[in-house]
Amino acid sequence: MFSFLLRPIIHLERGVGMKTIIVHGGTGSFKSDKDFDEHRRGVEEAVIHGYSTLEERNSSEEAVIAAVSKMEENPTFNCGRGSVLNYNGQIEMDAAIMDNNLNAGAVSGLKRVLHPIEVARAVMEQTDHVLLAGAELEEFVKVLEFPRDETLVVPHRFNQWKAELERIERGEKTRFGKSISLARKAQEYHSTCGAVAIDDHGRLVAGTSTGGMSMKSFGRVGDTPIIGAGTYADSFGAVSATGHGEKIMKLTLSRLVAFFMEQYPAQKSVDIALERARYFDCECGLIAIDRYGNIGIGHTSKDMSWAFIKDGHPPVVF
Ligand code: GLY
């Protein structure tokens, strides 16, 4: 009945040399030239690491994990070490991974683990579930003996949290954020990180990892671990999103791009989805690879950091 879904995979099995990886390091507006340079260096480093893994292992899953892990270790990015703090001054991270066979794993509200993307992969590979959160996630991390990391809070994020707390205390912003003007929101940089890749077997994988939004409520879940919102893959393509999670979720933006990739190449699919995002004033960015290895990159925000390597060519960096 669903045999039409197999068509792209059969096509891909005939494809050769289509190894491609794209990474993003978030969207918004860079705060300074230094911020710009650090993001540029960070995404370049991640894409090179991801691509060398793709060459060595010919596995899009390993490549995505390698690239995202690299960014989780880099305090520039809002994921892993360098994640933003919630209202209570804690780090709670979200991550997800998905492949073209609809295998998926995700975590939400993860604490004290350097590589949330690895925990998301463990959910995908070692459980019957898609998304783990709360006490059960804590138990899972313990049983699988993921190392605990007490060094995730970095000084610039702590200072950012303190400054935002002071703004709330001065009454310039409410705790739940409704009083933030759009102008103010546009100045923020959501440095969620993500990667999408395709290997020579045509296997497509998307992965995303984030600390979420700065000063978010304790327990807030963003778009990243919601399959179809911040992360999605199927036999037509793989997509990772960055930006304002609440709006991305309501638009199910990544799934929308995958849906358009049933008919159009990745870039056109990203462009159409972004038109819709713009209409709903959604500050966001997208990276996508379709089943033929075409790439799509775009954003509605002022800036976005991204990089890709296609078929062994030198990296292209934003
Ligand atoms: N896009 C990341 C978040 O809003 O959580």
Side-chain angles (χ1 to χ4, degrees), residues 2 15 18-19 38 81 93 103 106 140 175 177 181 189 261 273 299-300 308:
F2 294 113
M18 57 163 62
K19 286 192 194 81
E38 284 170 356
R81 180 174 299 119
M93 299 166 289
N103 297 307
F140 183 69
R175 178 179 161 188
S181 71
Y189 196 87
M261 286 195 289
H299 49 106
T300 62
F308 71 83

Side-chain angles (χ1 to χ4, degrees), residues 61 74 107 118 131 146 148 150 176 205 254 278 284 309:
E61 181 180 317
N74 184 339
V107 293
E118 287 281 14
L131 172 59
F146 277 98
R148 290 300 191 172
E150 307 297 340
F176 294 103
V205 173
S254 294
R278 226 171 257 118
C284 63
I309 297 181

Side-chain angles (χ1 to χ4, degrees), residues 279-296:
Y279 180 81
F280 287 102
D281 200 18
C282 171
E283 182 165 300
C284 63
L286 290 163
I287 56 173
I289 297 184
D290 66 32
R291 60 196 184 276
Y292 304 112
N294 298 308
I295 65 165

Side-chain angles (χ1 to χ4, degrees), residues 94 190 192 210-213 220-224 241-246 248:
D94 296 339
H190 311 273
T192 291
T210 187
M213 286 179 85
R220 176 260 190 189
V221 180
D223 59 301
T224 295
T242 166
H244 188 192
E246 278 68 10
I248 294 172

Side-chain angles (χ1 to χ4, degrees), residues 8 18 158 225 243 270:
M18 57 163 62
F158 181 76
V270 164

Side-chain angles (χ1 to χ4, degrees), residues 20 30 48 58 74 85 92 101 122-124 157-158 167 170 229 235 274 291:
T20 298
F30 294 117
I48 289 171
N58 194 18
N74 184 339
L85 277 57
E92 290 185 310
N101 288 318
V123 172
M124 174 171 81
R157 296 297 187 201
F158 181 76
R167 287 182 60 217
R170 286 199 302 271
S235 53
L274 288 177
R291 60 196 184 276

